[in-house]
């Protein structure tokens, strides 16, 4: 495994791979790797000849200085995790990615529409930072497949729009959410939860399950479905709900009445102590969920796909 620190070195390694008729898989991360990230690396390893993992805590997507200061940085651990499947690990400095830093770059990328609601409304500027760094990483990587977790569902929608609008030579692959046994979606932020907060955080996945159950029972009014999810979250005093929503899986617009379940996604976001957590689910079933087994292998559910997320699995 080669660890490189410059854009030129990373691009050169991947150009040489393509010149040898080898396919490239890109796994962008901000480090603090966990089983969710390693599942992306494993997927890329299974489908591509050369796998590059990027580790970069992108300052442009943090609006709160305290948030980026508290973000875990575990490079030695990350490199050990990546070694199981990566050929190249790109670990740039902030100045390598943004030469003008600490002055922000003069050119940034903004994706209208899908970036302006939900997380975009709660975290102004966040998705501009995401779109800018992803565009830059795609420029460095060149033609490739890029692997993203479905946990950050809105992020994947933003990246999809960016890729389509700019005609970037990148095929997006959305990968299953990896969860703890109690249903909590794995996140690098989970390590900041106290034991009591960690126990309370499971309410997010229970709220999504309640929304799915209401849909299965025939409820189709978005307001009623959101009320069901809100009630579950609000029953947990340590959790402060931001939003619970039922949206079109592609546009992220909330319909008044849910139509085709195959095109719907349930979203929830809340603050648990000092940590902001997000989660989401298919509307019909948790058919895209993977869970750690023995801390190593990733098991994919055998339930049929009928959730609209398949739209995001392969986009090229």
């Amino acid at each position: 495994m080669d660890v490189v620190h410059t854009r030129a070195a990373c691009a050169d390694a991947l150009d040489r791979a393509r010149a040898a008729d080898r396919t490239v898989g890109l796994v962008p991360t901000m480090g603090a790797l966990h089983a969710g990230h390693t599942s992306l690396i494993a997927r890329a390893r299974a489908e591509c000849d050369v796998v590059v993992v990027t580790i970069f805590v992108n300052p442009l997507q943090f609006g709160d200085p305290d948030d980026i200061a508290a973000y875990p940085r575990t490079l030695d651990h990350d490199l050990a995790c990546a070694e199981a499947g990566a050929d190249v690990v790109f670990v740039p400095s902030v100045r390598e990615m943004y030469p003008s830093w600490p002055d922000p770059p003069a050119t940034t990328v903004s994706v209208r529409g899908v970036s302006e609601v939900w997380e975009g409304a709660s975290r102004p500027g966040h998705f501009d930072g995401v779109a800018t760094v992803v565009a830059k990483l795609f420029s460095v990587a060149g033609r490739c497949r890029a692997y993203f977790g479905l946990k950050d569902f809105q992020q994947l929608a933003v990246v999809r729009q960016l890729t389509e609008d700019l005609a970037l030579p990148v095929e997006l692959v959305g990968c299953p959410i990896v969860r703890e046994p109690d249903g909590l979606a794995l996140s690098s932020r989970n390590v900041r939860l106290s034991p009591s907060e960690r126990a309370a955080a499971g309410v997010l996945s229970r709220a999504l399950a309640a929304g799915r159950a209401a849909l299965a029972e025939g409820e189709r009014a978005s307001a009623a479905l959101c009320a069901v999810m809100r009630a579950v979250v609000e029953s947990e005093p340590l959790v402060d709900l931001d939003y619970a929503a039922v949206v079109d899986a592609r546009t992220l617009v909330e319909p008044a009445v849910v139509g085709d379940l195959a095109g719907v996604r349930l979203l929830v976001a809340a603050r648990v102590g000092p940590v902001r957590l997000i989660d989401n689910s298919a509307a019909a079933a948790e058919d895209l969920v993977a869970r750690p087994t023995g801390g190593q292998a990733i098991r994919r559910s055998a339930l049929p796909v009928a959730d609209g997320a398949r739209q995001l699995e392969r986009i090229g």
Side-chain angles (χ1 to χ4, degrees):
M1 184 177 77
D2 294 328
V3 180
V4 298
H5 299 279
T6 67
R7 288 170 288 148
C10 184
D12 181 63
L14 302 183
D15 286 344
R16 283 187 278 109
R18 281 184 292 267
D21 202 27
R22 306 179 76 192
T23 57
V24 172
L26 169 68
V27 182
T29 83
M30 293 207 304
L33 301 190
H34 50 63
H37 298 108
T38 56
S39 74
L40 305 183
I41 297 170
R43 177 83 175 264
R45 179 77 278 161
E47 297 180 352
C48 303
D49 299 317
V50 174
V51 175
V52 55
V53 175
T54 68
I55 299 173
F56 178 63
V57 181
N58 176 33
L60 293 188
Q61 66 192 72
F62 288 84
D64 181 356
D66 292 336
D67 193 19
I68 190 170
Y71 193 85
R73 290 165 172 81
T74 56
L75 183 57
D76 289 343
H77 164 81
D78 297 342
L79 293 176
C81 289
E83 195 163 15
D87 300 289
V88 178
V89 180
F90 178 37
V91 189
S93 66
V94 176
R95 287 291 297 271
E96 178 64 23
M97 291 298 289
Y98 306 123
S100 64
W101 201 261
D103 293 328
T107 301
T108 58
V109 179
S110 181
V111 179
R112 292 195 300 272
V114 292
S115 72
E116 296 171 343
V117 294
W118 313 122
E119 286 303 287
S122 295
R123 303 175 66 186
H126 170 69
F127 284 122
D128 290 352
V130 170
T132 300
V133 76
V134 168
K136 196 149 193 175
L137 290 172
F138 284 179
S139 175
V140 171
R143 184 174 297 276
C144 64
R145 288 176 179 165
Y147 294 80
F148 292 84
L150 285 168
K151 186 186 80 70
D152 296 300
F153 193 82
Q154 186 173 2
Q155 173 179 274
L156 184 53
V158 170
V159 173
R160 171 179 48 79
Q161 192 69 57
L162 162 73
T163 304
E164 290 180 353
D165 287 350
L166 299 185
L168 300 176
V170 176
E171 178 185 355
L172 300 184
V173 183
C175 298
I177 299 170
V178 180
R179 297 182 181 275
E180 299 284 3
D182 68 346
L184 179 65
L186 294 191
S187 169
S188 300
R189 298 175 184 272
N190 291 351
V191 298
R192 297 173 54 199
L193 298 170
S194 71
S196 60
E197 291 163 352
R198 168 63 188 82
V203 77
L204 272 69
S205 63
R206 295 198 298 274
L208 295 171
R212 292 195 305 273
L215 281 166
E217 292 166 1
E219 181 61 70
R220 293 295 181 269
S222 289
L225 292 164
C226 293
V228 167
M229 292 191 288
R230 278 200 307 272
V232 173
V233 177
E234 290 171 353
S235 70
E236 175 49 70
L238 294 181
V239 178
D240 183 17
L241 180 69
D242 183 355
Y243 59 79
V246 182
V247 302
D248 180 284
R250 188 171 181 89
T251 65
L252 302 187
V253 171
E254 187 172 27
V257 178
V258 172
D260 181 12
L261 294 187
V264 169
R265 202 77 180 178
L266 309 180
L267 310 178
V268 64
R271 184 166 291 277
V272 185
V275 181
R276 192 169 190 280
L277 298 177
I278 59 174
D279 201 354
N280 70 88
S281 169
E286 277 281 34
D287 51 288
L288 287 181
V289 171
R291 298 174 187 271
T293 33
Q296 296 179 5
I298 300 298
R299 174 177 61 81
R300 191 185 302 239
S301 170
L303 292 173
V305 173
D307 69 348
R310 180 66 74 183
Q311 301 170 25
L312 292 177
E313 280 209 335
R314 290 224 180 260
I315 305 162

